[in-house]
Amino acid sequence: MSERVNVKKTTPANGTRRPGTPDSGTPDTGTKPADAAVSAAKAEAVLPSLGPVGMLRWAWTQLTSMRTALFLLLLLAVAAVPGSLFPQRPANPAVVTQYIKDHPDYGKVLDALQLYDVYSSAWFSAIYILLFISLIGCVVPRAIVHYKAMRSQPPRTPARLSRLPEYGTLVIPADAGIPASRAIDDAAALLKKRGYRVEVRDSDGARPSLGAERGFLREVGNLVFHTALIGVLVSVAAGGLFGYSGQRILVEGDTFVNTLVGYDQFTPGTNFQSAQLQPYSIQLDKFQITFDRESKGKFGQPIDFKADVTTKENPGAPAEHQVLKVNDPLNLGGTSIYLTGNGYAPVVTVRDANGNVAMQGPVVAKLQGDNYYSSVVIKVPDAKPEQLAFAGFFLPTAFVTPEGVSFSGDPELFNPQLTLNSYYGDLGLDSGSPQNVFELDVKKLTPLNARNLPTKGIVLTPGATHTLPDGKGTISFDGVKRYVGVDIHHNPGQGYALFFALLAVAGLVTSLYVNRRRAWVRAGSHEDGRTMVEYGLLARGEDHRLAGEAAALRALLAAAWPLDDSGSQPVPSAGADNDRADTGAGADAGPQSSPEQPATDSLQTTAGSPESKKDQ
């Protein structure tokens, strides 16, 4: 700490220099006493040492502030951006490997920074955990303070209610026979019905009063909102740790069993265990598509998809027939199964040079264009003596242009056609390197059939067989089946995340629309037997409906006694009321009035006045 020394400088009235004071034109080579005192004070000042405990307390205070929580929330959103800019290893490892090869200058640097594993990286997890701790540190102390506030009594009755933003007085005639204590009891009952927490004070005294408070749900909603945010974070974390997702293509007649080997592609959570997989099964019996045959603009477009499936919850469970549709998933074994794609799968039989069946069954055709124009890749590694491969396209309804270009004219199977090029050689599958089943690398293969070769390409219709050149074998087009693509998701925190999200919205709405209010009522007896009542209201924070609450309270009090509250008596101005309060007829002296100045039945608003601001 530093100490500041103020030195009063004085100059003689005649402008002469004080003795011992250096002239302005002459440099002062000595040290002034005042400067010496300041230097000595600075030298003696020592900043207090926080120590390890103090540093930890300061760090905890900074971490658990709402400003830090908002900053961490924004930082978490920014940290998630690289996950959409760069390929992620959990989603597709092959794409990440290819990306590093294509960008050798900075690809490995990004890998070292964990930008290919953003959501499981150390820095993203650190931000996530710090946000989690910050929210807990914000919520717990506030919850304790609010709990104590709810158990405490309403604040004491102010000495001058006229200083409150909403203030009014009522006069009960002497012939009504309502003393001050009964007036306070009646006011307490009315406030309790309106949801106020009421405490009556000095009920047997000459000037009984009450304090009332409501709107605790505002802070409760705020706490629920922040607690729900913590619940959302925990739920999302649980889904990322213990969830998994995968994809599988099912051809009509195929069965999928929920095991690791049953997936075409599988993305596990960080803490996934294979024991989590429930051994259910699903078989695709039939897949039907309805195409638009009426609209001119969308003729031939698919308008409905329906997959008839047979499911079993476990191997010993009875079979159940169900229907899988778009946006209507099946729920099996704690997973959700979504219908995401479909297409055609030509059924082919390939025989090698020895006449043996090297491959037989449906081949999934990948959609490439309109009317289900699809690409086809067939790899036959079991062919002898040399491996065979085919690449081409499948047309559900084949047409040929005058230039000799084939295209599909309709998505239905009106004229199915399979057009292929054939190759032989080493497919590279024996090396163990993964390959895309929908792509064929022909760099190391020798072509047999192609449009630019004398042998031309292979054109097959259902039931047709083509013999390969040089006695390499044959290929037959046996028929066409349909296939579907399904996404399988297991997220144990998904339901909890939805629940906490809705809870957060409910808490936020409550905190925005519930107002925290305080009300006080004081009563007293006049010399002529009348009962004088004054009341005031104060809002905790901004409350544009406080005036309406004051009017409603006044109407209820007037109807309870009953009083003629039609406004027959004049309403004094705020200045007149304050003058009356200062002379002893206001709140300080109790709700009494002198015979020379009879009390009036009035309602006043003093919001915005200096006194109101001082009380708030």
Side-chain angles (χ1 to χ4, degrees):
M1 298 177 60
S2 61
E3 181 180 355
R4 182 178 180 181
V5 180
N6 295 324
V7 179
K8 184 177 181 180
K9 299 180 180 180
T10 59
T11 303
N14 55 7
T16 60
R17 181 170 55 88
R18 294 175 58 187
T21 304
D23 187 84
S24 59
T26 305
D28 185 10
T29 58
T31 304
K32 297 180 181 179
D35 294 341
V38 172
S39 300
K42 290 181 177 180
E44 294 176 359
V46 179
L47 292 174
S49 178
L50 291 177
V53 177
M55 285 296 297
L56 290 176
R57 188 174 298 168
W58 175 84
W60 176 256
T61 302
Q62 297 299 316
L63 178 61
T64 56
S65 65
M66 186 57 64
R67 178 177 57 187
T68 303
L70 293 175
F71 173 76
L72 289 173
L73 189 62
L74 177 62
L75 188 61
L76 187 69
V78 174
V81 172
S84 59
L85 297 179
F86 303 105
Q88 297 300 294
R89 186 172 281 111
N92 199 330
V95 174
V96 174
T97 302
Q98 187 62 39
Y99 187 87
I100 295 176
K101 291 181 179 179
D102 296 340
H103 305 85
D105 47 352
Y106 61 87
K108 293 183 178 180
V109 176
L110 297 179
D111 195 14
L113 296 175
Q114 297 181 305
L115 293 181
Y116 304 127
D117 302 273
V118 169
Y119 306 111
S120 60
S121 62
W123 47 271
F124 189 86
S125 300
I127 298 173
Y128 199 93
I129 294 173
L130 286 176
L131 176 60
F132 183 76
I133 296 174
S134 179
L135 286 175
I136 293 178
C138 289
V139 171
V140 173
R142 290 180 61 178
I144 295 174
V145 171
H146 186 59
Y147 175 75
K148 293 179 179 179
M150 292 180 65
R151 292 182 61 85
S152 64
Q153 298 296 330
R156 63 183 180 85
T157 306
R160 300 180 66 179
L161 294 180
S162 59
R163 291 182 175 182
L164 299 179
E166 297 296 332
Y167 171 74
T169 60
L170 292 168
V171 178
I172 303 176
D175 55 4
I178 300 177
S181 59
R182 179 181 168 185
I184 290 297
D185 291 338
D186 293 343
L190 290 174
L191 287 171
K192 288 181 180 179
K193 290 182 179 180
R194 291 188 67 81
Y196 283 86
R197 183 167 57 93
V198 181
E199 181 190 19
V200 177
R201 296 140 183 180
D202 300 328
S203 58
D204 298 331
R207 297 174 59 195
S209 65
L210 66 84
E213 193 170 10
R214 66 173 295 183
F216 288 99
L217 281 179
R218 181 186 183 91
E219 182 64 14
V220 170
N222 202 349
L223 293 173
V224 167
F225 170 73
H226 289 87
T227 304
L229 286 183
I230 298 175
V232 170
L233 291 177
V234 174
S235 302
V236 173
L241 290 174
F242 305 105
Y244 60 86
S245 63
Q247 293 77 39
R248 174 62 190 266
I249 292 178
L250 285 175
V251 182
E252 289 177 332
D254 285 356
T255 300
F256 164 73
V257 180
N258 190 32
T259 59
L260 286 178
V261 296
Y263 286 89
D264 294 330
Q265 185 175 349
F266 188 79
T267 305
T270 307
N271 288 358
F272 168 79
Q273 301 293 332
S274 58
Q276 295 177 232
L277 297 176
Q278 299 296 324
Y280 64 82
S281 64
I282 176 172
Q283 176 181 325
L284 178 62
D285 299 325
K286 187 176 181 59
F287 181 67
Q288 303 176 21
I289 308 178
T290 302
F291 296 99
D292 187 358
R293 298 302 182 186
E294 298 180 358
S295 174
K296 293 183 179 180
K298 298 181 179 180
F299 184 85
Q301 296 294 320
I303 58 177
D304 188 40
F305 305 91
K306 178 183 177 182
D308 296 323
V309 297
T310 301
T311 61
K312 288 185 178 182
E313 287 285 351
N314 54 70
E320 183 178 356
H321 298 282
Q322 301 188 55
V323 176
L324 177 61
K325 303 187 70 173
V326 177
N327 298 326
D328 187 13
L330 296 179
N331 295 310
L332 291 172
T335 65
S336 298
I337 304 173
Y338 298 87
L339 178 62
T340 57
N342 68 91
Y344 291 106
V347 180
V348 298
T349 300
V350 178
R351 296 180 181 272
D352 59 17
N354 299 326
N356 300 321
V357 176
M359 184 268 179
Q360 186 176 35
V363 178
V364 174
K366 185 179 179 181
L367 292 178
Q368 297 291 350
D370 296 334
N371 295 323
Y372 280 69
Y373 168 85
S374 308
S375 61
V376 177
V377 171
I378 305 173
K379 299 177 183 181
V380 192
D382 296 332
K384 302 297 181 181
E386 293 176 297
Q387 296 178 341
L388 299 175
F390 303 86
F393 50 87
F394 171 75
L395 305 175
T397 302
F399 285 92
V400 181
T401 64
E403 292 79 13
V405 179
S406 300
F407 68 95
S408 179
D410 195 274
E412 284 281 14
L413 294 173
F414 294 135
N415 183 29
Q417 185 182 93
L418 188 59
T419 302
L420 302 171
N421 294 338
S422 62
Y423 305 86
Y424 73 95
D426 185 9
L427 298 178
L429 296 175
D430 297 333
S431 63
S433 300
Q435 293 186 11
N436 192 330
V437 296
F438 298 110
E439 296 179 359
L440 178 64
D441 186 3
V442 299
K443 295 179 181 178
K444 299 180 180 180
L445 299 178
T446 303
L448 289 172
N449 293 93
R451 294 185 60 183
N452 57 351
L453 296 178
T455 54
K456 301 299 181 181
I458 302 173
V459 179
L460 296 174
T461 57
T465 300
H466 181 84
T467 301
L468 301 178
D470 301 330
K472 296 295 184 180
T474 62
I475 181 172
S476 302
F477 184 13
D478 303 330
V480 181
K481 290 186 177 182
R482 295 184 185 272
Y483 74 86
V484 298
V486 294
D487 277 357
I488 302 170
H489 295 273
H490 174 65
N491 189 343
Q494 183 175 7
Y496 295 102
L498 176 60
F499 169 76
F500 284 116
L502 296 176
L503 191 63
V505 173
L508 181 61
V509 171
T510 301
S511 64
L512 291 177
Y513 287 95
V514 174
N515 298 106
R516 183 84 176 270
R517 296 166 180 165
R518 290 173 176 173
W520 294 273
V521 180
R522 181 186 287 120
S525 299
H526 194 267
E527 297 176 355
D528 58 6
R530 292 179 297 170
T531 299
M532 318 300 293
V533 179
E534 61 175 348
Y535 61 90
L537 285 86
L538 177 67
R540 294 287 302 272
E542 297 293 333
D543 186 0
H544 63 279
R545 294 176 294 177
L546 187 63
E549 178 69 11
L553 179 60
R554 179 182 183 84
L556 290 174
L557 292 175
W561 281 323
L563 300 177
D564 183 10
D565 197 35
S566 59
S568 58
Q569 300 184 19
V571 178
S573 64
D577 179 75
N578 290 331
D579 293 341
R580 185 167 63 255
D582 291 337
T583 58
D588 281 337
Q592 302 178 5
S593 58
S594 63
E596 293 78 16
Q597 186 179 4
T600 59
D601 184 8
S602 63
L603 170 66
Q604 301 180 33
T605 299
T606 59
S609 66
E611 292 181 343
S612 170
K613 294 179 179 178
K614 182 174 67 175
D615 261 15
Q616 295 184 57

